[in-house]
């Protein structure tokens, strides 16, 4: 600070003094950085476990290190080029993840089609029968996870003992509410090109309003509201503020995208599927692994809201709606419009 201090008189003597002060500050900073580097290096040398990102494993501190074992968590979301960075440093690699849930984010459609969307985790599982499957779940009411279990995991997932011991909060843990025939048409945000459906968003919030008014358990529960499109998420966040209970449950209610809910869970999950058009186009929803993530966030109650006329053009959603019908959990939106 002294080296940069304003002086009314600034001659050769003052210039030399400033230079010396700034040189000293620069040297002290270099010494501090060297000391910090030495401390970090020593800590890493002594550590039994080092946690970092895939690319972080090639930082200056780790660039020349080799490891006996490398664990890659959420390997189903790891782009293969990034995964090879730590793999090249390992004698043994252990990957953990679920290739039936969120894939890596690949913004280039061309690169995705060329193979970038397929992870080394998925290729390994498909090519070599060496995967160990964790087959016990401790989160969901059995009826919530049943369809995902059958469709994605061949019925191989069983419910942990804690599920049977847990108090049942809702007599109707699952519901599909069909907005077909309501005239809730989707729209495109011209700036972001993201899809939203204003009338369906309003219906979803009215349903939540009814649920909170009718159920003391719902008022005491954590609630998640998922939409697959950012524009629809923003619309829900804006419209929900008009309800008189919003302030009271702010800490209990989370409205977000599917990706943001990865790894999280809520007592109640509402999923607004947004799409409703005469062309039967489901667009982004065709990545059914994201829907699998959304459906498996719920502990006690799962409600899916969508237009069957649009969704049923996709085999996954057609079977999903049929499953809810078989379970006596299918409802028309007209049952809730009054």
């Amino acid at each position: 600070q002294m080296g940069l201090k304003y002086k009314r008189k600034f001659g050769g003597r003052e210039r030399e003094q400033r230079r010396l002060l700034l040189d000293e500050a620069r040297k002290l900073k270099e010494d501090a950085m060297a000391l910090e580097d030495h401390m970090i290096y020593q800590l890493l040398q002594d550590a039994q476990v080092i946690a970092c990102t895939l690319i972080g494993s090639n930082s200056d501190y780790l660039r020349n290190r080799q490891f006996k074992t490398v664990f890659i968590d959420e390997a189903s979301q790891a782009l293969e080029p990034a995964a090879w960075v730590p793999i090249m440093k390992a004698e043994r690699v252990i990957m953990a993840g679920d290739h039936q849930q969120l894939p890596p984010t690949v913004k280039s459609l061309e690169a995705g089609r060329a193979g970038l969307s397929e992870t080394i985790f998925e290729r390994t599982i498909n090519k070599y029968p060496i995967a160990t499957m964790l087959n016990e779940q401790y989160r969901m009411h059995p009826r919530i996870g049943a369809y995902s279990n059958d469709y994605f995991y061949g019925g191989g997932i069983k419910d942990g003992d804690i599920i049977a011991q847990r108090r049942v909060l809702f007599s109707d843990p699952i519901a599909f509410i069909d907005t077909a025939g309501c005239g809730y048409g989707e729209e495109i945000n011209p700036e972001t090109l993201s899809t939203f459906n204003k009338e369906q968003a309003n219906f979803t919030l009215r349903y939540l309003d009814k649920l909170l008014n009718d159920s003391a358990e719902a008022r005491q529960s954590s609630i998640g509201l998922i939409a697959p499109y950012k524009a629809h998420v923003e619309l829900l966040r804006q419209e929900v503020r008009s309800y008189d209970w919003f302030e009271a449950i702010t800490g209990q209610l989370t409205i977000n995208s599917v990706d943001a809910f990865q790894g999280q869970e809520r007592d109640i999950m509402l999923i607004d599927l947004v799409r409703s058009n005469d062309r039967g186009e489901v667009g982004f929803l065709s990545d059914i692994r994201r829907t699998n993530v959304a459906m498996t966030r719920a502990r006690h109650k799962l409600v899916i809201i969508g237009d069957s006329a649009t969704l049923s053009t996709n085999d996954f959603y057609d079977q999903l709606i049929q499953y809810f019908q078989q379970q006596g959990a299918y409802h028309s939106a007209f049952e809730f419009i009054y």
Side-chain angles (χ1 to χ4, degrees):
Q1 290 182 347
M2 288 181 61
L4 298 175
K5 188 176 180 181
Y6 169 70
K7 294 183 179 181
R8 295 183 65 184
K9 181 182 178 183
F10 197 89
R13 183 177 178 182
E14 287 76 17
R15 185 181 300 107
E16 180 63 15
Q17 182 187 37
R18 175 167 290 184
R19 186 186 67 78
L20 292 172
L21 287 169
L22 292 176
D23 284 347
E24 182 182 7
R26 192 177 298 110
K27 186 176 185 306
L28 289 171
K29 183 178 179 181
E30 290 172 354
D31 289 345
M33 292 176 66
L35 180 61
E36 181 184 36
D37 286 344
H38 176 73
M39 293 171 64
I40 293 173
Y41 178 78
Q42 195 59 49
L43 286 170
L44 293 176
Q45 283 292 104
D46 297 338
Q48 286 186 290
V49 178
I50 297 172
C52 62
T53 62
L54 296 173
I55 301 303
S57 66
N58 200 42
S59 70
D60 291 340
Y61 300 113
L62 301 176
R63 183 163 294 164
N64 298 316
R65 293 281 299 272
Q66 290 294 124
F67 299 93
K68 182 177 180 180
T69 304
V70 163
F71 291 85
I72 303 178
D73 193 19
E74 297 292 358
S76 59
Q77 293 182 257
L79 289 169
E80 181 162 342
W84 276 106
V85 176
I87 288 173
M88 296 295 290
K89 298 174 175 292
E91 297 177 24
R92 177 177 65 166
V93 177
I94 299 173
M95 293 181 285
D98 183 349
H99 65 294
Q100 300 291 2
Q101 296 209 355
L102 285 182
T105 301
V106 179
K107 295 185 177 180
S108 168
L109 294 177
E110 183 180 356
R113 285 193 293 265
L116 190 61
S117 293
E118 185 180 28
T119 64
I120 189 171
F121 179 72
E122 187 174 1
R123 288 201 299 113
T124 301
I125 287 175
N126 292 334
K127 190 171 183 179
Y128 303 104
I130 59 174
T132 298
M133 182 175 176
L134 303 180
N135 62 355
E136 196 163 354
Q137 71 90 12
Y138 306 94
R139 172 183 296 159
M140 295 164 280
H141 185 287
R143 291 180 68 193
I144 292 175
Y147 180 72
S148 286
N149 186 14
D150 290 342
Y151 193 95
F152 291 101
Y153 307 106
I157 305 296
K158 62 181 182 179
D159 302 313
D161 293 339
I162 192 173
I163 300 297
Q165 298 166 8
R166 193 169 63 186
R167 184 168 71 94
V168 176
L169 296 186
F170 302 96
S171 59
D172 52 346
I174 59 172
F176 182 93
I177 302 177
D178 190 357
T179 61
C182 293
Y184 299 163
E186 66 185 53
E187 301 176 62
I188 300 290
N189 184 310
E191 295 182 1
T192 64
L193 301 181
S194 182
T195 304
F196 66 98
N197 188 327
K198 188 170 184 177
E199 292 158 315
Q200 187 159 297
N202 287 330
F203 172 83
T204 299
L205 293 174
R206 290 198 306 273
Y207 175 84
L208 177 57
D209 178 61
K210 177 176 172 57
L211 182 63
L212 291 169
N213 287 326
D214 292 351
S215 170
E217 287 80 7
R219 292 192 294 273
Q220 297 168 7
S221 297
S222 60
I223 303 170
L225 177 47
I226 285 180
Y229 292 90
K230 185 176 180 180
H232 199 79
V233 169
E234 294 302 321
L235 178 61
L236 289 166
R237 287 175 175 171
Q238 177 183 331
E239 296 296 324
V240 74
R241 296 178 178 276
S242 64
Y243 287 84
D244 54 10
W245 41 257
F246 172 69
E247 294 294 337
I249 69 164
T250 298
Q252 300 166 234
L253 175 64
T254 306
I255 302 175
N256 222 322
S257 64
V258 179
D259 293 48
F261 268 100
Q262 169 78 343
Q264 299 187 49
E265 57 185 45
R266 295 293 187 273
D267 294 327
I268 302 170
M269 289 300 311
L270 278 69
I271 306 172
D272 185 335
L273 293 177
V274 182
R275 301 307 298 260
S276 180
N277 57 72
D278 296 332
R279 305 174 302 281
E281 293 179 359
V282 298
F284 189 54
L285 296 183
S286 62
D287 188 348
I288 59 176
R289 290 175 295 181
R290 279 189 157 79
T291 305
N292 186 31
V293 173
M295 292 171 59
T296 54
R297 300 305 96 196
R299 285 193 288 257
H300 294 282
K301 189 176 182 66
L302 169 67
V303 179
I304 302 175
I305 299 170
D307 179 355
S308 65
T310 299
L311 297 171
S312 60
T313 60
N314 179 285
D315 181 67
F316 169 79
Y317 294 103
D318 184 40
Q319 292 186 42
L320 173 66
I321 295 167
Q322 290 182 47
Y323 167 76
F324 275 78
Q325 286 180 319
Q326 294 162 5
Q327 292 292 311
Y330 170 89
H331 304 275
S332 169
F334 289 104
E335 297 176 39
F336 303 93
I337 298 173
Y338 48 84

